């Protein structure tokens, strides 16, 4: 990102701070607490009056509303990832417009930037009556505050995919719709905050590193092997309903988004999500396959496999990796009942991809123990 968006971001924050500072004191004295909350930190909502210039695909009205959403998040000390989730939600729900509703007469008499028709939903987040009065829901600071209030109550929201966290708040009929706005929301949040990249303050996706060594050191065993993840074995290697479960499943309650590491040095042989299964969303027991997975070939024709990643892996075919390299992040894509890493070890695998199969799979538990990198949280 060039220097221009950074300068714009500083200007955006200056506008929001100025408006907040000018309006907080007097409403607190003149109105009740609820009215003061609704009146504070407001920016103009009338067409053509937005004080913030546009940014990329977003015009001044949208960018002004984005600045308000971020400012409320900062005021409430919400972690930066929350700004991104809130922006993506408002992008999907209203294209960052404070919408009235043709079915809600009161909303049409209030300042608005467009008119929708979805049930009785209004405002930036298309909130229904349970979220507050019509006036409150059409007050951007109030609407953003209620969204954050619900978001931070969602257990593990910072480790979720963006669309899952948003859906936990919104309960939309289109639960996957928020995901497509993730990159736009990250870029706009960075512009609003005057940053080159939202990852600089940890606002990116939960699998994105934030700074050097953010994912921490990893102990390497005497044989040059490491644990792919530090987690409990929840399903062992062996026969399952006449089929071979060719690896072990590793999980814990907070594993979604955890880094998956190459178990040893080698060359990435496969990066794939099979066409017949789920990829960038959670799978279920009716699905089959690994979802997103990686195969790495190690010296001595040993191949390790890492399944059910949350999104496209971080490595490419032909890439050389060292023990402990982060190759992806834990998810639940493919034939999966919940977030976990399915980890396989294959011995004496003939050269070439697609040769790691049930005939050469071995139990990873004794194998990894022999390498000095026993699986499990206590090693």
């Amino acid at each position: 990102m060039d220097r221009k968006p950074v300068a714009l971001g500083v200007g955006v924050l200056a506008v929001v701070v100025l408006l907040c500072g000018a309006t907080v004191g007097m409403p607190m004295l003149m109105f009740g607490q609820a009215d003061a909350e609704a009146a504070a930190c407001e920016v103009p909502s009338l067409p053509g009056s937005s004080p913030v210039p546009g940014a990329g695909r977003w015009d001044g009205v949208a960018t002004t509303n984005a600045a308000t959403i971020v400012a409320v998040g900062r005021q409430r000390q919400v972690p930066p990832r929350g700004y991104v989730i809130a922006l993506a939600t408002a992008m999907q729900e209203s294209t960052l417009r404070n919408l009235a509703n043709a079915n809600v007469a009161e909303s049409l008499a209030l300042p608005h930037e467009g008119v929708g028709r979805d049930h009785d939903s209004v405002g930036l987040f298309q909130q229904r009556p349970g979220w507050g009065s019509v006036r409150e829901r059409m007050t951007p600071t109030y609407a953003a505050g209620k969204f954050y209030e619900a978001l931070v109550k969602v257990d593990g929201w910072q480790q979720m995919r963006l669309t899952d966290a948003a859906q936990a708040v919104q309960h939309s009929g289109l639960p996957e719709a928020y995901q497509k706005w993730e990159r736009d929301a990250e870029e706009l949040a960075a512009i609003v905050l005057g940053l080159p990249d939202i990852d600089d303050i940890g606002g990116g996706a939960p699998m994105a590193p934030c700074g050097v060594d953010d994912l921490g050191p990893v102990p390497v065993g005497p044989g040059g092997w490491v644990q792919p993840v530090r987690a409990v074995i929840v399903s062992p290697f062996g026969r399952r309903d006449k089929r071979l479960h060719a690896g072990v499943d590793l999980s814990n309650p907070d594993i979604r988004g955890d880094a998956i590491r190459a178990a040893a040095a080698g060359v990435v042989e496969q990066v794939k999500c099979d066409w017949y299964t789920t990829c960038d969303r959670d799978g279920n027991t009716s699905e089959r396959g690994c979802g997103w997975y990686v195969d790495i070939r190690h010296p001595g024709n040993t191949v390790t496999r890492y399944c059910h990643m949350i999104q496209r892996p971080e490595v490419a075919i032909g890439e050389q990796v060292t023990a402990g390299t982060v190759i992806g992040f834990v998810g639940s894509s493919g034939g999966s009942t919940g977030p976990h890493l399915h980890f396989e070890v294959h011995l004496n695998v003939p050269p070439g991809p697609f040769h790691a199969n049930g005939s050469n799979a071995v139990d990873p538990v004794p194998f990894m123990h022999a390498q000095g990198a026993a699986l499990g949280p206590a090693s």
Side-chain angles (χ1 to χ4, degrees), residues 174-193:
L174 299 170
E176 289 292 320
Y178 305 104
Q179 193 64 37
K180 66 178 177 286
W181 297 106
E182 182 167 32
R183 189 58 194 152
D184 287 73
E186 290 177 345
E187 291 176 351
L188 191 52
I191 289 171
V192 165
L193 291 166

Side-chain angles (χ1 to χ4, degrees), residues 115-171:
V115 178
R117 295 179 177 274
D118 183 19
H119 297 90
D120 47 13
S121 303
V122 298
L124 290 172
F125 295 90
Q126 289 293 278
Q127 292 160 333
R128 303 192 69 180
W131 292 89
S133 69
V134 174
R135 180 176 293 275
E136 286 173 332
R137 288 178 283 139
M138 289 188 65
T139 301
T141 50
Y142 177 91
K146 296 299 284 186
F147 179 86
Y148 286 126
E149 183 180 306
L151 177 66
V152 299
K153 292 178 181 178
V154 175
D155 187 33
W157 68 270
Q158 293 188 71
Q159 296 301 319
M160 292 180 177
R161 289 191 311 150
L162 182 146
T163 199
D164 295 331
Q167 174 65 1
V169 175
Q170 298 293 102
H171 305 290

Side-chain angles (χ1 to χ4, degrees), residues 27-95:
M28 285 288 286
L29 296 174
M30 295 178 63
F31 310 108
Q33 176 65 41
D35 288 332
E37 181 180 2
C41 279
E42 278 315 306
V43 291
S45 187
L46 297 174
S49 64
S50 300
V52 178
R57 64 186 294 181
W58 305 104
D59 63 15
V61 171
T63 307
T64 297
N65 286 328
T68 299
I69 291 169
V70 171
V72 172
R74 286 167 60 89
Q75 184 183 48
R76 288 174 172 257
Q77 298 184 321
V78 175
R81 180 63 179 166
Y83 315 158
V84 176
I85 296 169
L87 288 175
T89 302
M91 288 172 177
Q92 170 61 26
E93 297 291 355
S94 66
T95 62

Side-chain angles (χ1 to χ4, degrees), residues 226-231 250-251 255 258-261 330 341 374-377:
V226 307
Q227 292 179 326
V229 294
R230 185 176 293 269
L250 297 155
S251 188
I255 200 169
D258 280 6
I260 301 170
R261 300 180 183 273
V330 175
L341 170 65
L375 299 175

